[in-house]
């Protein structure tokens, strides 16, 4: 059943604004973050979420406090959508003590356990078993929390996809696996990685309720996810959601992404998830342009403040590091 | 009061007591629920704690370990039983890249109170893929604790401690030990990590051994005593953390060391302990540290060859005699 | 399309006799092997293939010289069906130098590379990637050989099932994965291991032609396999075949198998694959009982000779072992 | 004639020449075909040898390694490229339980001419899951050859040899070395396994180092020479087989040893080499063997901490001076 058929009621203005704020915040974070990278302020890997904002935005809007997320190497968007403090994110990218991981983790490892964000991951596919495990922990605890793993088309080729989703199924865990199918693993096309590019079918094969959605439509993602969350809380999990999307640029900051066909890229850019969130907000609520501008301005300022904060922060000292080692 | 109970029963007591005390403790594994486990360690737990906390799994070691690690990160206390340590190789990514690194990667905010219980060692012709001793694999990975008890009381006390601390633990049992008996005090028994145990005191030579090599070292020590050689048998009990102080204290007394491991010689934990001793007690050694270890070959099916490929009591005796210059050095097993 | 619909022609007498000989030889090997085990002549693990004979029998009858098989921990049947020398098999079980692996391997590792048997395996599921690799080697070599992995219901839960079958698919390898679904992994029911006990669906999900067959019907297995082999040779591989079956006893020699429901066991025993092979031979060719007796007698004698041969064989010496180590 | 070429180009030459000579050689990996590999080692090979022999794969390390092992068993000559050695943990079962054991389990009849090429080491803030040096993991597994070249010529000659021998090879490159240059003779260059290379002769102290620690050891040796200390820098080039004779010969000459590894101290290969030296050359040592190694912690993202967690030139110099009793022993990094 398509997600739309299940929409019980029209989206509230509050929700629409939330979706737009989130999507825009991710957009700003990545766009500005890349500039910091190019200035040499950020080192190591930086995988932008540009173009995929609709997914994290829609998914997280359907979650509640106490729920848990696990993420990928392309994790900034999930982190922001889950309500992270941008200050601590930027500080982490700048390897500062005030960062989420005190500068020990970096882009690929930002996590906030206390808030139920198990973190980004440098191992493609690893978030799936970890997320299933978190869902299992919640079942053991006896609460009704939902755990979501954001995964990728590439991640669904890691064998633990089968192994752990199957465990989630036989144990009826309150778990949603969101596969962000952006059609590429670095430069390798999904069609070259599998004969069946509709990845949700892999869930069906092991008896998991599985859906597909336009990942560039934050509202569609939200509605599908809302239903999934409800089913999970009713003990009808796990659920798999494949969200089709496309990157707006190369795999990481230094990948020009020449292998991405221009026409296809243009097709997806026309369906820009941030624009769609903005349009949905303006069209459905009649909010005026100045209000939108104010929202955008506030978000940009939040990022600028975060950069300032981060630059002013110190790094971990060698003495602190030694202490950590001694306790490890 | 102290009773004599089997290693496997001691393990079960530890799990049972901790499950009773902490509703977050649960156990998953192949055939551990209905069937009570291949070595009967988990027998009766399903009936007592129910299918929510005692779960059979499909054959999916990478998934089980990964799910266990995730559950630990999210605040539960999983015990994942892997039938043979050999099969833990299927889940190495989750152990090495996730469990061991999570705390560092999160700047110390995340903890992973995860336990993988498994068993290793040779035993009765189960051949190359079911006979390995792989402690060195985990020992080399910062962030993993490596626990390897040789006696029922240690097994119980260390497992209970494992279930109360915050880091991922590789808990290595031995197929030959499950049905061995030993004294275990009634009531609460918790043994902290990083405390070696002197299984037999002596002054002439230190024999460092763990897991199933401890009974062999003790047998060797008893035979050496007949010759008037008093060997001290030191069981580190946990390899990470390692009780360096106890080892160095014993070496300072005896000035001679034999290290016995069932694992293959090349790149084993014995080599590392040897390197620590020569680094920190170089000037008190009266003879080279002797390493008695498994041969550098997968374990063969044939029982005679299987026996030849891991240390036996006479090998330990000969090594001890060599450290006392009572026997010429033969080519060491390597 | 059911296998039967594809039968181009009636089975030849030669084929029917071959099927019966193979099935019966496996039956004798396992029945008598268990006796040797109980006498203490065999150590370690011994997983009997009793009840599953129809699968190895039907599959291997459809293969030709130059083809390759990879097997499981329950591998005696595959080995025999693939034409192994029973002498060398028994000698291996008795840890003798004259065995297939010179006593180094044992039941779980019998292999005969020279004849294209990559061997049994102690790691459940491992034969799948190994078999796919062999198929890849054949594609590199440019020949039309087919590689078959015999796997198990348990083996299909190992993540490499997904990873390697997917590789076979994207590379169109000449590969057949035969899943022997005997409903149990030791004492764990397939229904407790997955929500979807029809395992062939896992192949469909990644675009692999997949079938199901009654594994206790050697002829049905043969016909399905014959078609699969032909397709593979035409470049239309890989193909997955799920063969439903049931063990006649516990998981290994020392497992009483009490968890197996009596009624279900009886159901499958009524469909005994050896009986069905015998019946097919007698019914379709009119061969008389004395001829059947002669076949059975010869096979039993072959086994007895193998035992005698093996008992008379020597074991590897420690000096030979040392030489091996030095070269390792 | 000898040219100066980059390490990555030397590797490509080896693969190219062997692919040209042997149609059974093929290579699979992530992004190695169209894109020529993350480190450009395989650039141009797709065009030259076509998509049958140069294949991109999905992200499925366990599958790739397993399929490679199977192909080798069946008589082809696969090179499986794994992007980071860290990811090899996903395929450990296939390496440890299949590739390494197959020959033994088949009584010597089966061989596995399989090569896994991968790279390790720290480099520029790629953090804990992309910075490991894991040679000890493979070193401990009998049946695996472990090759770890530090210079372009070694990389080429050893890879060519690897492609002609019969056993599984773990071929470990280093992310920092790909763009370093060195002399490589034109024409055929094949270097046998098990032959150490003296990268700089000396008589006062032996510095054993491999991979990216070789350039650092050479830099340290150059600085030590300014103080009048002549350090001999020995690069084993292959850890399995290990050229024990060359090591013992050097120790016999210098009586002092420093072993340098980027891998973490605990349970590393350095410990094992140390154990061999103390076992076989105990009486010729004038000072404890010094091990300079990575800290026992996952590698942090922060660049200063990353640098602090692996050996730097001054650490090597200090250790060498300690063996000559020119500097007091500080607490070793462990
Ligand atoms: C297990 C593993 N293999 C390889 C890599 C290297 N790598 C990092 S990202 C990436 C591509 C990932 O593609 P996909 O999973 O589709 O995610 P996307 O980048 O498209 O978000 C690869 C191959 C890795 N990090 N982990
Ligand atoms: C990776 C792995 N995990 C666990 C085992 C222990 N084990 C041996 S056979 C077996 C059950 C196998 O069931 P299945 O795969 O269905 O094959 P069957 O025995 O039914 O033929 C188990 C769990 C193993 N050998 N390998
Ligand atoms: Mg992708
Ligand atoms: Mg089964």
């Amino acid at each position: 059943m398509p997600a739309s058929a299940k929409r019980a009621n029209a989206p509230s203005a509050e929700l629409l604004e939330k979706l737009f704020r989130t999507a825009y915040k991710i957009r700003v974070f990545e766009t500005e973050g890349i500039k910091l990278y190019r200035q040499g302020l950020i080192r190591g890997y930086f995988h932008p979420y540009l173009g995929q904002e609709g997914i994290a935005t829609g998914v997280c809007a359907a979650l509640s406090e106490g729920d848990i997320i696990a993420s990928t190497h392309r994790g900034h968007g999930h982190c922001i959508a889950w309500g992270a403090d941008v200050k601590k994110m930027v500080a982490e990218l700048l390897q500062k003590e005030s960062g989420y991981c005190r500068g020990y983790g970096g882009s690929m490892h930002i996590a906030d356990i206390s808030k139920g964000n198990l973190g980004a991951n440098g191992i493609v596919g690893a978030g799936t078993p970890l997320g299933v495990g978190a869902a299992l922990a919640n079942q053991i605890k006896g609460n009704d929390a939902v755990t979501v793993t954001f995964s990728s088309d590439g991640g669904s080729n890691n064998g633990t996809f089968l192994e752990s989703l199957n465990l989630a199924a036989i144990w009826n865990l309150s778990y949603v696996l969101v596969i962000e199918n952006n059609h590429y693993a670095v430069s390798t096309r999904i069609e070259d990685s599998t004969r069946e590019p509709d990845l949700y079918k892999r869930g069906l094969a092991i008896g998991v309720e599985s859906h597909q959605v336009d990942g560039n439509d934050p509202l569609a993602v939200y509605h599908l996810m809302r239903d999934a969350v409800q089913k999970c809380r009713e003990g009808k999990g796990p659920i798999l959601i494949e969200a089709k999307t496309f990157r707006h640029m190369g795999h990481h900051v230094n990948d020009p992404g020449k292998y991405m066909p221009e026409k296809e890229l243009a097709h997806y850019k026309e369906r820009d998830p941030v624009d769609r969130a903005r349009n949905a907000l303006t069209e459905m609520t009649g909010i005026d342009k100045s209000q939108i501008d104010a929202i955008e301005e506030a978000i940009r300022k939040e990022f600028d403040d975060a950069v300032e904060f981060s630059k002013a922060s110190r790094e971990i000292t060698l003495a602190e590091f030694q202490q950590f080692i001694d306790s490890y | 009061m102290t009773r004599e109970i089997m290693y496997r029963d001691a393990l079960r007591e530890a799990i049972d007591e901790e499950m009773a005390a902490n509703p977050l403790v649960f156990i998953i594994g192949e055939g551990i629920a209905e069937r009570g486990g291949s070595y009967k360690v988990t027998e009766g737990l399903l009936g007592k704690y129910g299918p929510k906390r005692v779960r059979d799994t499909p054959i999916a070691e990478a998934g089980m370990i990964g799910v266990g690690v995730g559950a630990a990160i999210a605040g539960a206390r999983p015990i994942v039983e892997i039938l043979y340590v050999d099969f833990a190789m299927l889940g190495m990514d989750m152990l090495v890249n996730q469990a061991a690194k999570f705390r560092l990667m999160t700047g110390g905010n995340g903890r992973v109170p995860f336990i993988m219980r498994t068993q290793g060692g040779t035993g009765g012709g189960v051949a190359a893929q079911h006979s390995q001793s792989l402690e060195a694999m985990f020992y080399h990975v910062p962030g993993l604790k490596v626990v390897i008890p040789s006696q029922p009381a240690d097994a119980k006390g260390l497992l209970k401690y494992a279930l109360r601390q915050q880091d991922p633990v590789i808990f290595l049992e031995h197929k030959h030990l499950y049905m061995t008996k030993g004294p275990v005090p009634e009531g609460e028994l918790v043994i902290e990590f990083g405390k070696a145990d002197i299984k037999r005191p002596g002054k002439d030579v230190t024999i460092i051994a763990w897991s199933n090599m401890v009974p062999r070292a003790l047998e060797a020590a008893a035979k050496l005593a007949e010759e008037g050689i008093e060997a001290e048998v030191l069981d580190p009990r946990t390899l990470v953390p390692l009780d360096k102080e106890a080892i160095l204290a014993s070496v300072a007394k005896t000035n001679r060391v034999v290290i016995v491991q069932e694992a293959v010689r090349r790149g084993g934990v014995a080599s590392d302990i040897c390197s620590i001793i020569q680094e920190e007690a170089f000037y008190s050694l009266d003879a080279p540290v002797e390493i008695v270890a498994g041969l550098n070959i997968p374990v063969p099916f044939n029982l005679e060859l299987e026996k030849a490929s891991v240390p036996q009591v006479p090998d330990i005796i000969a090594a001890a005699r060599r450290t006392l210059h009572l026997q010429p050095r033969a080519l060491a097993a390597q």
Side-chain angles (χ1 to χ4, degrees), chain A residues 43-45 92 95 103-106 109 121-122 186-187 315 325 328:
Chain A
R43 300 294 298 271
Y45 279 114
E92 187 57 34
Q95 50 183 14
Y104 284 102
H109 306 298
N121 212 305
V186 193
S187 57
E315 296 183 24
I325 296 171
Y328 212 78

Side-chain angles (χ1 to χ4, degrees), chain B residues 95-162:
Chain B
L95 297 172
V96 174
N97 291 323
Q98 309 298 336
K101 299 200 166 32
F102 196 70
R103 185 174 164 206
L104 178 285
M105 294 189 306
T106 57
N109 297 315
R111 299 302 290 263
V112 190
F114 160 86
I115 299 177
M116 177 177 90
R117 276 187 50 241
T118 185
Q119 58 80 25
T122 55
V126 292
Q129 294 172 334
H130 290 69
S131 299
Q132 293 169 90
S133 298
L134 294 175
E135 60 270 22
M137 292 271 183
F138 310 112
Y139 181 82
H140 186 51
V141 181
L144 300 179
K145 306 288 185 239
V146 181
V147 181
I148 189 156
S150 67
Q151 296 186 351
D154 296 339
K156 178 172 179 183
L158 290 165
L159 186 50
K160 288 188 57 121
Y161 186 81

Side-chain angles (χ1 to χ4, degrees), chain A residues 256-269:
Chain A
K258 295 240 172 74
Y259 46 83
M260 298 162 78
E262 265 174 50
K263 241 176 116 173
E264 199 177 6
L265 184 55
H267 169 91
Y268 280 96
K269 281 197 168 170

Side-chain angles (χ1 to χ4, degrees), chain A residues 11-325:
Chain A
S12 70
E14 201 190 332
L15 170 69
L16 291 164
E17 184 178 324
K18 183 175 178 173
L19 293 177
F20 171 60
R21 277 185 182 278
T22 302
Y24 188 76
K25 197 189 276 195
I26 299 172
R27 178 64 51 91
V28 168
F29 187 93
E30 298 298 52
T31 314
E32 299 300 315
I34 290 170
K35 290 182 194 158
L36 297 176
Y37 194 95
R38 301 227 187 278
Q39 289 164 34
L41 288 172
I42 301 176
R43 300 294 298 271
Y45 279 114
F46 186 124
H47 303 98
Y49 196 63
L50 294 171
Q52 305 185 195
E53 295 91 339
I55 304 169
T57 298
V59 165
C60 290
L63 295 174
S64 309
E65 221 186 290
D67 292 337
I68 293 182
I69 68 163
S71 153
T72 64
H73 58 286
R74 197 176 299 288
H76 304 161
H78 312 132
C79 207
I80 292 170
W82 191 229
D85 182 343
V86 174
K87 271 206 195 74
K88 289 174 129 187
M89 286 181 71
V90 175
E92 187 57 34
L93 297 186
L94 267 57
Q95 50 183 14
K96 296 303 178 75
E97 191 273 340
S98 56
Y100 266 114
C101 310
R102 310 181 79 208
Y104 284 102
S107 168
M108 273 192 301
H109 306 298
I110 300 181
D112 184 6
I113 321 302
S114 68
K115 295 258 170 56
N117 175 359
L118 305 190
N121 212 305
I123 303 295
V124 170
T128 310
L130 297 181
V132 172
L136 176 57
N138 283 326
Q139 194 182 68
I140 296 283
K141 292 177 188 173
N143 64 35
D144 76 343
V146 174
T147 303
V148 180
T149 294
F150 293 97
S151 185
S152 52
D153 48 294
S156 67
N157 289 317
N158 180 323
T160 56
F161 165 88
L162 169 63
E163 296 192 15
S164 57
L165 188 61
N166 187 51
L167 290 176
I170 59 174
W171 292 337
N172 306 314
L173 297 183
S174 178
Y175 177 71
V176 184
L177 176 59
V178 177
I179 300 179
E180 305 192 355
N181 185 346
N182 65 5
H183 299 78
Y184 281 96
V186 193
S187 57
T188 302
R189 284 291 297 196
I190 175 84
E191 291 81 5
D192 294 329
S193 285
T194 176
R195 284 181 177 178
E196 180 49 79
D198 283 339
L199 298 172
Y200 74 93
K201 294 187 183 165
R202 296 188 185 186
L204 297 178
I206 54 171
V208 172
E209 180 181 328
S210 302
H211 301 270
Q212 204 173 49
V213 69
D214 175 0
N216 281 23
D217 181 347
L219 208 49
V221 172
Y222 167 78
H223 282 118
L224 183 55
M225 185 65 192
R226 194 190 51 185
D227 294 344
V229 166
Q230 192 180 321
K231 280 184 188 151
C232 279
R233 297 211 209 278
E234 288 164 3
K236 295 181 192 146
I239 289 170
L240 185 155
I241 294 176
E242 179 193 8
K244 300 268 192 191
T245 188
F246 211 76
R247 297 185 314 237
H248 276 190
M249 55 177 289
H251 171 62
H252 54 55
V253 174
N254 293 325
D255 171 16
K258 295 240 172 74
Y259 46 83
M260 298 162 78
E262 265 174 50
K263 241 176 116 173
E264 199 177 6
L265 184 55
H267 169 91
Y268 280 96
K269 281 197 168 170
E270 272 164 35
R271 286 154 189 81
D272 182 326
V274 181
D275 290 347
R276 280 163 91 172
R278 190 189 291 103
N279 292 343
L281 176 58
T282 48
E283 283 162 23
M284 296 196 201
T285 67
I287 185 175
D288 67 26
K289 183 157 180 324
S290 69
Q291 284 169 291
I292 295 279
D293 287 347
I295 291 172
E296 296 190 356
E297 166 105 27
I299 287 170
R300 283 198 306 270
K301 174 146 189 335
E302 186 184 354
F303 187 86
D304 292 342
D305 290 349
V307 174
E308 211 164 304
F309 165 82
S310 302
K311 283 184 177 167
S313 294
R314 69 174 185 88
E315 296 183 24
I316 286 279
T317 65
L318 290 177
E320 286 170 313
F321 183 36
Q322 187 58 53
Q323 266 189 343
F324 198 13
I325 296 171

Side-chain angles (χ1 to χ4, degrees), chain B residues 216-233:
Chain B
R216 293 197 189 165
L218 288 170
E219 204 181 320
K223 295 225 169 105
L224 286 164
E226 293 170 12
E227 307 179 26
I229 300 170
E230 289 180 34
E232 174 147 301
V233 178

Side-chain angles (χ1 to χ4, degrees), chain B residues 30 35 59-61 83-84 87 90 130:
Chain B
E30 294 160 13
R35 198 155 44 86
I59 306 173
E61 282 78 6
L83 275 172
Y84 283 78
F87 313 158
L90 288 151
H130 290 69

